[in-house]
Amino acid sequence: MRKVISVIAILLGAVALVVGIGQKTFWAPPETVTASMPEFESEAPLTVIQPSVQNANAEPVELVISAEGEFTASLARSYDVEAWVDDASHVELTGVDRENHQLVAELLDGEKKTPNPAGDDLFFDSQKADGTMTYRWTAPDDGDWSLLLAADGTKAAPTDISVTYANDDAMPWALPLIIIGALLLVFGVALLLMRVIKPSKPARRAEAASPGTKGGSTTQNSLAMAAVLALAVGGVSVPMAPSEDQPAESAKASDSAKSEESEPAEESKPAEESTSAEAEPDSYPVLTEEQLQRILGDVEKQIGKADEKNTKKDLDARASGAFKDLRTKRYDILNDDIEIAKPLALKTAVIRSAAVPNSSEAKFPRVISVVTAKDSDPATLPMALTLKQDSARDNYKVSFAAQMLPNSTFPGIAVGDPSIQQLGNNAEGLKVKPEEALDQLADVLTNEESKHKGNFAESEFIKAIHSGQKKEKEEANEANVKYSRSVTKNDTQVISTPDGGAIVTGRLNQKAVFERTEDADPLESADELTKKLLGSSTSTGNVEITYAEPVMMYIPASGNDDKIQLVASEVVLLSVKQAEEN
């Protein structure tokens, strides 16, 4: 009877082992599965893939995107993609139904045509494909990132998308069957061994008197070996028992566990506070360093192209505001064959400092200020620039550019500093509101004895303006010279700095009117440029000369003893004409 039971146990154990191991090997489900998109009744120019397709606890998913013809996949922060899409019709892929292996997506109705998003400044990266693209989902930085698919903004965007990911399906009975099979084999083999190895009666008496004798030990060792072999066949690992000479391993573990249990609850609080302090911020810089480098490189290229042939149309891609207006006026003068220096070329190869605001709820327009140079040589005079992005679908355009003034400084700011914010013209918390600071500067430049002159640090630019105006009055052939300045409010841009101050760029407009007195001699043009702009070398009437003075300044935080400092500026002659007499 014992033999029959042992044979049955061995057979059942073998069957359980085969089934259990089979579920782990040749009957096991595939390691990966693929989920596909549902079908839609109509088409859309855009497809948005949200970060929710990625399981945070799993390996990065692999997207296979197919389309008829060329298309692009552009990666950006989720709120930026949302801003770019706006009211456009689009298919939105929001997740993966891992139970049914189906992608979760819906078609949202809206505008049927959009611009082509490929290569826009908003996107961290744009990849182009023809027919099929395999995209492994990885985020370049913290926060949520989305992928925007488009053909050209007019054709249908790709919707033939599949996602491959690790298969979570498991064979729940695999391990229990292996364990049960191993135990049945052990049991069956043990019964057989007990029948085969029959010790003599004296041996049995010796075993009864001394369980640790050689005969009993042989039987037990045989049983143990059989158990180990059966478990090994089943793929179940058996830990080695510690030797009598080394009992300390488990003791150390026990002591460690007791030590951990005995630690006071208060010890966990600093860890929780540390975790909270290291939590991801709510907003991120509007540009990464890679994006900024790419944008500045294209700015230098496009503006250089316009400067080369004095073509105003070529400025449209990367110029706006005061910068575009002044560049255009200079082109007009150059195209009239008037000898005048060409505009200062932009050099952006090296970023010395960059005030890049955080997203601040992704508001537009966005403004950044940077200091660049053609190389890393400390002797190279750097250039200060301000760029503005009007909307999500617009690229950044230069609104201010000038060489930094001698002895001026720009705060050293790393790209990505989360403390940088975009401020309004009437921002509080500064020594002087930005709008008021520009008005005060206009008064200081016009009037050497201005009541506001004490608010500004000593500046070679201010000295040069005062010296030039004084000389101009002395050489005015007994005419009265009147100066006035105004601020173009729409050109004022403000960005905070880490120390609580702010970088402000704006445009001052200067007008110099030469009024002839009754006994004054005819007014004479001081240089060839003025003669050509006026159309004559002399004038018997009043003459009006207009200039633009784009400026960048640093305003300290409220309560700071430092003064407002001019960072960069220049004077641009705009026109010379006969003035109407009052």
Side-chain angles (χ1 to χ4, degrees):
M1 185 66 181
R2 184 180 298 175
K3 183 176 181 180
V4 173
I5 294 174
S6 65
V7 170
I8 293 174
I10 291 172
L11 289 175
L12 290 176
V15 171
L17 274 174
V18 169
V19 174
I21 295 172
Q23 290 187 356
K24 285 286 188 180
T25 56
F26 46 84
W27 287 330
E31 293 183 0
T32 62
V33 290
T34 300
S36 301
M37 287 279 282
E39 294 185 0
F40 301 101
E41 295 181 356
S42 59
E43 299 175 333
L46 303 171
T47 296
V48 179
I49 302 177
Q50 298 288 12
S52 48
V53 301
Q54 170 65 34
N55 186 339
N57 298 321
E59 293 293 325
V61 299
E62 189 174 83
L63 304 170
V64 177
I65 306 164
S66 301
E68 295 182 4
E70 294 183 348
F71 66 93
T72 55
S74 301
L75 184 69
R77 296 197 182 275
S78 295
Y79 49 71
D80 280 342
V81 171
E82 183 181 347
W84 200 100
V85 172
D86 198 22
D87 294 329
S89 175
H90 63 284
V91 172
E92 188 165 359
L93 174 55
T94 56
V96 182
D97 182 352
R98 292 177 179 261
E99 291 185 2
N100 299 311
H101 306 312
Q102 182 78 19
L103 296 181
V104 180
E106 62 177 329
L107 174 63
L108 302 174
D109 195 22
E111 298 176 4
K112 301 301 181 183
K113 293 184 179 181
T114 70
N116 190 346
D120 277 10
D121 290 349
L122 193 78
F123 299 103
F124 175 82
D125 180 48
S126 288
Q127 296 185 24
K128 190 175 182 179
D130 190 352
T132 303
M133 172 190 290
T134 300
Y135 191 95
R136 190 168 178 80
W137 187 272
T138 53
D141 200 359
D142 293 337
D144 292 333
W145 295 75
S146 298
L147 197 65
L148 180 64
L149 308 180
D152 61 1
T154 59
K155 301 176 183 177
T159 54
D160 183 0
I161 304 170
S162 60
V163 175
T164 301
Y165 51 92
N167 190 3
D168 293 333
D169 290 344
M171 293 288 199
W173 285 100
L175 188 59
L177 285 172
I178 292 173
I179 294 174
I180 292 171
L183 292 175
L184 286 172
L185 279 176
V186 170
F187 177 70
V189 171
L191 287 178
L192 285 177
L193 290 176
M194 289 177 67
R195 283 186 60 82
V196 171
I197 306 174
K198 289 185 176 181
S200 61
K201 291 181 180 180
R204 289 179 185 176
R205 284 195 296 269
E207 289 171 13
S210 179
T213 58
K214 187 173 181 181
S217 176
T218 301
T219 304
Q220 291 172 0
N221 289 341
S222 300
L223 291 175
M225 181 61 68
V228 169
L229 288 173
L231 290 173
V233 170
V236 180
S237 62
V238 180
M240 296 297 291
S243 67
E244 294 179 0
D245 296 332
Q246 293 180 333
E249 287 294 332
S250 58
K252 288 179 182 177
S254 176
D255 291 343
S256 174
K258 290 178 181 178
S259 175
E260 289 177 2
E261 290 175 1
S262 64
E263 288 178 359
E266 287 77 12
E267 290 294 319
S268 64
K269 288 184 180 180
E272 293 174 1
E273 291 173 0
S274 175
T275 302
S276 175
E278 295 175 2
E280 292 182 0
D282 294 330
S283 58
Y284 304 90
V286 297
L287 291 174
T288 64
E289 188 168 357
E290 292 87 344
Q291 284 176 283
L292 183 57
Q293 287 278 13
R294 186 184 75 233
I295 291 167
L296 290 174
D298 192 60
V299 163
E300 180 177 338
K301 177 182 176 181
Q302 298 299 335
I303 300 300
K305 179 182 175 183
D307 287 347
E308 184 179 359
K309 297 182 178 179
N310 303 326
T311 49
K312 293 184 283 186
K313 185 178 180 181
D314 289 335
L315 287 173
D316 294 342
R318 288 296 185 179
S320 68
F323 177 83
K324 183 179 181 181
D325 183 40
L326 302 183
R327 217 76 167 183
T328 299
K329 294 285 177 38
R330 182 66 63 92
Y331 291 169
D332 287 339
I333 296 173
L334 288 167
N335 291 332
D336 285 340
D337 295 327
I338 298 175
E339 292 186 8
I340 186 175
K342 291 182 73 70
L344 187 66
L346 304 188
K347 299 297 181 182
T348 63
V350 176
I351 298 176
R352 298 278 184 91
S353 186
V356 178
N358 61 44
S359 60
S360 298
E361 301 176 3
K363 293 178 181 177
F364 289 93
R366 293 175 175 174
V367 177
I368 61 175
S369 285
V370 295
V371 173
T372 65
K374 65 179 181 180
D375 54 44
S376 299
D377 187 345
T380 300
L381 194 61
M383 175 174 283
L385 299 91
T386 295
L387 298 93
K388 182 180 178 183
Q389 184 183 32
D390 287 326
S391 71
R393 294 183 181 180
D394 288 308
N395 283 338
Y396 281 90
K397 298 181 180 182
V398 182
S399 60
F400 172 89
Q403 277 189 333
M404 288 184 63
L405 298 170
N407 302 320
S408 65
T409 58
F410 186 103
I413 309 172
V415 179
D417 190 320
S419 67
I420 308 301
Q421 293 182 333
Q422 193 168 313
L423 306 177
N425 294 0
N426 291 310
E428 302 284 349
L430 302 173
K431 195 161 191 176
V432 181
K433 292 181 180 180
E435 200 169 57
E436 294 177 5
L438 286 170
D439 287 333
Q440 290 182 12
L441 177 61
D443 187 61
V444 168
L445 293 176
T446 302
N447 178 13
E448 194 169 351
E449 299 302 323
S450 169
K451 64 180 180 180
H452 303 297
K453 66 179 182 180
N455 290 342
F456 293 84
E458 186 175 308
S459 167
E460 294 300 321
F461 179 76
I462 296 176
K463 290 179 180 179
I465 291 293
H466 290 161
S467 176
Q469 290 176 169
K470 184 178 181 180
K471 183 178 179 181
E472 207 166 40
K473 288 181 178 181
E474 292 173 352
E475 298 176 353
N477 292 344
E478 299 181 353
N480 292 325
V481 186
K482 294 181 178 179
Y483 297 101
S484 63
R485 283 176 172 82
S486 61
V487 179
T488 306
K489 304 299 183 184
N490 292 337
D491 287 324
T492 304
Q493 309 294 341
V494 187
I495 304 174
S496 72
T497 56
D499 60 2
I503 296 294
V504 179
T505 54
R507 172 180 173 176
L508 306 183
N509 305 292
Q510 182 203 149
K511 182 184 293 185
V513 179
F514 293 76
E515 296 179 344
R516 286 184 69 251
T517 60
E518 202 171 306
D519 299 327
D521 296 330
L523 295 171
E524 294 182 2
S525 299
D527 52 58
E528 291 299 318
L529 175 58
T530 306
K531 289 179 184 178
K532 290 187 177 182
L533 291 177
L534 182 60
S536 174
S537 60
T538 61
S539 172
T540 56
N542 297 336
V543 175
E544 180 180 289
I545 304 178
T546 58
Y547 302 87
E549 296 167 337
V551 297
M552 175 183 283
M553 65 175 72
Y554 167 74
I555 305 177
S558 178
N560 194 310
D561 293 334
D562 293 338
K563 296 183 178 182
I564 301 171
Q565 180 187 141
L566 290 186
V567 176
S569 187
E570 63 176 333
V571 179
V572 182
L573 176 62
L574 300 179
S575 67
V576 181
K577 64 180 181 179
Q578 295 283 347
E580 296 181 4
E581 297 184 20
N582 295 330

